[in-house]
């Protein structure tokens, strides 16, 4: 992520961002000079009149979509700290973050400072687009300006740092909370739990739950669903089921997330009858199953060999108007394909088209083709172009599913091609896609390329997950590299 902003006359920067990159004590923030202001307002000759130059900023850059009432300084009213703060908040709310950062530098040149509300608005806008370098720089400036951020600001930053795997920044943020005497609330604990559960860190999860209870926050359905999910992911399904009994005894009402966790736990343990019973109870209590619910039921029925009920659920999901998840297609196609039941696959495809699920049917047909039944889509680019012509919206999930389909067939080059096409569409490859790429190289016996993808994940600042390590280990075992002790992971 770059902290530099392209504008009409070159490159501009926020000085505090450079402080973060070069934390030397001798570094001094430079104020905006007349030469830079001239880039925005070349027709104004009075080089001492900074205020006039700032007033024409909105007209010198692209037209702002914010209401006229928030840009009063462009109509000749004397520029003031209040007007500047109102303007920068308007830019943030309108999504003009680059312009807001440029105007912030103009404000600093005039000696104006952001208000607490403006700092919060700017941080929220930067977080929304993942510009974490600037987030930390602005947060540091906020604290150094004498403001004490409230818990809502800390929670906002903590969530984005953990989501991006920036653990060092998250730790610094928690230290800042303690130093400022800001108490954690329920949302803070839930953010931490969400991260620890996703990372499979059982011990840390229980420590957070213990601290949460100590601070007077009793576990709710969200927390219980997190713990159940962690037990399930670690193969401790019996403990997960015992915890379900505890939840019912404590009278905690079950929400959709809780029901989904319970259904998935029963499904993973092979208790399909219990999973369907909970599914029925969920609907009886007026909670509508979502795509996660159907995904879980169909996946585990396929996994445990009950393809008949899996197809019944698959068709029932479509009758309720839900757009099928492409990952469901792969599960069903691969299981039916293993048994050579291509006639059933074709029948389901026709039912999807007749039922009005044109986009779903197109994806389904493409995946069937990739799995080798027809052979028309051995080329990834042709596959993507077909989906685009059919009006299928391309998303990161679609690209990951297609890449995985090619990877499973040993089509390593086509898997890489999907990644390249994903980037061409302006979609940033996520950890799931990189894990798929490791798997593709592993299946193809190209363990050195798999290892290089892993190194790229680490160097990019992301945190490899359990799937990353498992997939890489399989690739190295295939090449017998681990036994020879040549790799240091």
């Amino acid at each position: 992520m770059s902290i530099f902003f392209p504008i009409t006359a070159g490159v501009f920067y926020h000085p505090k961002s450079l402080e973060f990159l070069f934390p030397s004590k001798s570094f001094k923030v430079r104020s905006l000079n007349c030469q830079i202001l001239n880039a925005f307002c070349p027709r104004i000759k009075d080089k001492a009149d900074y205020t006039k130059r700032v007033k024409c900023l909105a007209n010198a850059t692209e037209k702002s979509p914010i209401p006229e009432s928030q840009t009063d300084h462009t109509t000749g009213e004397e520029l003031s700290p209040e007007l500047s703060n109102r303007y920068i908040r308007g830019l943030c709310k309108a999504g003009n973050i680059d312009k807001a950062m440029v105007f912030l530098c103009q404000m600093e040149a005039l000696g104006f400072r952001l208000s607490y509300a403006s700092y919060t608005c700017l941080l929220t806008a930067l977080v929304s687009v993942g510009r974490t370098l600037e987030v930390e720089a602005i947060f540091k400036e906020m604290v150094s300006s004498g403001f004490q951020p409230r818990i809502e600001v800390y929670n906002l930053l903590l969530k984005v740092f953990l989501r991006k795997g920036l653990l060092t920044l998250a730790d610094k943020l928690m230290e800042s909370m303690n130093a400022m005497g800001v108490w954690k609330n329920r949302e803070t604990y839930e953010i931490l739990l969400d991260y620890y559960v996703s990372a499979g860190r059982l011990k840390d999860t229980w420590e957070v739950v213990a601290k949460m209870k100590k601070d007077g926050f009793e576990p709710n359905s969200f927390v219980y669903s997190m713990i159940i999910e962690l037990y399930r992911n670690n193969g401790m399904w019996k403990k997960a089921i015992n915890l379900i009994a505890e939840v019912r005894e404590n009278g905690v009402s079950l929400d959709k997330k809780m029901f989904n966790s319970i259904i998935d736990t029963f499904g993973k343990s092979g208790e399909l009858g219990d999973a369907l019973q909970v599914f029925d109870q969920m609907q009886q209590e007026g909670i509508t199953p979502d795509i996660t619910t159907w995904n879980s039921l169909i996946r585990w029925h396929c996994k445990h060999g009950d393809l008949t009920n899996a197809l019944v659920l698959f068709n029932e999901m479509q009758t309720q108007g839900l757009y099928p998840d492409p990952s469901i297609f792969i599960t069903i196609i691969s299981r039916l394909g293993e048994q050579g039941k291509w006639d059933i696959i074709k029948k389901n495809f026709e039912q999807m088209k007749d039922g009005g699920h044109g986009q779903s049917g197109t994806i389904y047909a493409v995946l069937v083709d990739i799995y080798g039944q027809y052979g028309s889509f051995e080329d990834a680019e042709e596959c993507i172009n077909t989906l685009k012509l059919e009006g299928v919206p391309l998303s990161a999930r679609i690209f990951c599913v297609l890449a995985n389909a090619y990877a499973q067939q040993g089509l390593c080059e086509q898997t890489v091609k999907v990644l390249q096409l994903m980037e061409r569409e302006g979609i940033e490859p996520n950890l799931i896609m990189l894990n798929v790429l490791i798997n593709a190289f592993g299946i193809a016996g190209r363990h050195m390329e798999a290892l290089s993808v892993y190194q790229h994940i680490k160097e990019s600042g992301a945190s490899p997950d359990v799937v990353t390590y498992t997939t890489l280990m399989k690739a190295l075992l295939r090449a017998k590299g681990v036994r020879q002790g040549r790799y240091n992971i």
Side-chain angles (χ1 to χ4, degrees):
M1 166 56 66
S2 173
I3 61 171
F4 295 92
F5 308 96
I7 46 181
T8 54
V11 177
F12 204 70
Y13 62 86
H14 184 243
K16 293 294 182 180
S17 296
L18 294 183
E19 269 190 22
F20 169 65
L21 291 178
F22 306 102
S24 171
K25 293 183 180 180
S26 62
F27 183 88
K28 295 181 179 180
V29 177
R30 296 185 298 169
S31 296
L32 189 69
N33 58 36
C34 295
Q35 183 180 2
I36 296 177
L37 280 173
N38 275 328
F40 290 98
C41 313
R43 286 174 291 183
I44 298 178
K45 301 301 181 182
D46 182 7
K47 297 190 178 185
D49 192 354
Y50 277 72
T51 302
K52 287 182 181 179
R53 298 177 190 278
V54 175
K55 284 180 182 179
C56 75
L57 172 65
N59 295 325
T61 57
E62 71 274 11
K63 187 176 180 181
S64 171
I66 66 175
E68 185 65 26
S69 62
Q70 293 178 328
T71 58
D72 288 342
H73 63 280
T74 64
T75 63
E77 185 177 346
E78 184 67 25
L79 189 67
S80 66
E82 181 182 354
L83 279 173
S84 299
N85 275 283
R86 188 169 62 190
Y87 179 58
I88 207 165
R89 290 198 298 271
L91 289 171
C92 290
K93 291 175 182 177
N96 290 340
I97 302 173
D98 285 351
K99 193 172 178 182
M101 293 295 286
V102 169
F103 189 73
L104 174 58
C105 295
Q106 309 281 343
M107 287 179 63
E108 290 186 339
L110 294 171
F112 296 160
R113 291 292 176 263
L114 292 179
S115 64
Y116 183 90
S118 297
Y119 271 120
T120 303
C121 194
L122 186 57
L123 284 170
T124 302
L126 290 169
V127 163
S128 68
V129 293
R131 291 163 63 161
T132 50
L133 284 178
E134 292 143 296
V135 166
E136 191 196 10
I138 295 298
F139 179 76
K140 285 183 175 180
E141 181 180 318
M142 182 181 187
V143 174
S144 64
S145 297
F147 293 109
Q148 180 169 333
R150 291 191 281 269
I151 187 62
E152 292 77 15
V153 175
Y154 280 106
N155 287 343
L156 177 72
L157 301 185
L158 182 63
K159 185 181 296 184
V160 72
F161 288 159
L162 290 177
R163 187 188 304 139
K164 288 185 168 292
L166 303 172
L167 305 186
T168 302
L169 291 182
D171 289 339
K172 288 181 180 179
L173 192 69
M174 298 299 290
E175 291 173 4
S176 175
M177 281 184 68
N178 295 331
M180 288 284 194
V182 179
W183 294 94
K184 302 179 186 68
N185 61 8
R186 179 179 288 277
E187 184 184 1
T188 314
Y189 284 115
E190 290 180 353
I191 292 170
L192 291 170
L193 282 172
D194 188 37
Y195 170 73
Y196 287 137
V197 169
S198 299
R201 294 163 62 170
L202 185 60
K203 182 180 178 181
D204 289 326
T205 300
W206 276 116
E207 287 180 358
V208 172
V209 171
K211 290 177 182 177
M212 187 177 185
K213 289 181 178 179
K214 185 178 179 181
D215 287 348
F217 300 107
E218 288 299 321
N220 54 16
S221 60
F222 176 83
V223 174
Y224 276 121
S225 65
M226 284 279 154
I227 300 172
I228 290 173
E229 183 179 332
L230 183 60
Y231 277 143
R232 181 201 64 212
N233 292 344
N234 284 274
M236 304 161 67
W237 65 269
K238 288 186 178 179
K239 284 191 175 183
I241 292 173
N242 291 336
L243 188 60
I244 294 170
E246 178 186 325
V247 172
R248 288 171 174 166
E249 289 175 4
N250 291 340
V252 176
S253 58
L254 305 182
D255 57 14
K256 185 177 295 185
K257 184 175 179 61
M258 190 74 169
F259 272 113
N260 285 344
S261 294
I262 296 171
I263 289 171
D264 201 56
T265 300
F266 278 127
K268 188 172 185 178
S269 63
E271 304 293 334
L272 301 179
D274 290 331
L276 289 172
Q277 186 177 351
V278 175
F279 177 67
D280 292 337
Q281 181 187 346
M282 178 182 187
Q283 296 178 90
Q284 290 170 10
E285 295 188 12
I287 299 177
T288 304
D290 58 11
I291 194 66
T292 303
T293 318
W294 293 104
N295 259 355
S296 180
L297 286 169
I298 295 170
R299 181 174 66 252
W300 294 121
H301 274 80
C302 285
K303 181 73 173 179
H304 295 291
D306 192 351
L307 291 176
T308 301
N309 277 327
L311 289 171
V312 170
L313 291 164
F314 180 68
N315 291 324
E316 185 181 343
M317 173 183 60
Q318 294 178 71
T319 60
Q320 294 194 10
L322 283 178
Y323 186 92
D325 190 321
S327 61
I328 299 178
F329 301 155
I330 282 192
T331 303
I332 293 176
I333 294 168
S334 59
R335 291 295 175 182
L336 290 173
E338 288 171 1
Q339 299 180 14
K341 297 182 178 179
W342 293 99
D343 55 333
I344 297 179
I345 293 177
K346 184 178 180 181
K347 180 181 177 182
N348 274 275
F349 172 50
E350 296 297 332
Q351 286 178 347
M352 291 172 70
K353 289 202 302 184
D354 295 340
H357 295 273
Q359 291 183 345
S360 298
T362 301
I363 298 171
Y364 190 88
V366 166
L367 290 171
V368 169
D369 193 275
I370 292 173
Y371 269 82
Q373 180 64 5
Y374 305 118
S376 300
F377 292 117
E378 291 184 2
D379 180 69
E381 188 164 9
E382 184 180 352
C383 166
I384 296 296
N385 289 335
T386 299
L387 293 177
K388 291 170 72 174
L389 287 173
E390 292 292 333
V392 177
L394 300 178
S395 63
R397 178 183 290 272
I398 291 290
F399 278 107
C400 290
V401 168
L402 293 174
N404 188 52
Y406 282 117
Q408 294 298 326
Q409 300 307 303
L411 301 172
C412 189
E413 285 76 12
Q414 295 306 325
T415 307
V416 175
K417 190 69 175 289
V418 172
L419 174 65
Q420 295 170 343
L421 292 168
M422 182 180 184
E423 292 178 322
R424 189 186 301 175
E425 292 292 327
I427 302 175
E428 184 178 352
N430 53 22
L431 185 60
I432 296 174
M433 174 60 83
L434 295 175
N435 286 343
V436 169
L437 194 57
I438 292 174
N439 190 40
F441 284 130
I443 292 174
R446 296 162 61 174
H447 60 281
M448 292 304 296
E449 285 96 333
L451 193 60
S452 68
V453 176
Y454 166 76
Q455 294 296 342
H456 170 75
I457 292 174
K458 291 180 64 178
E459 291 169 3
S460 66
S463 295
D465 58 10
V466 175
V467 176
T468 308
Y469 288 113
T470 303
T471 308
L472 182 61
M473 191 64 68
K474 289 179 181 178
L476 296 179
L477 284 171
R478 286 191 184 98
K480 298 182 180 179
V482 171
R483 293 182 190 172
Q484 298 173 13
R486 290 184 290 151
Y487 304 106
N488 184 20
I489 301 176

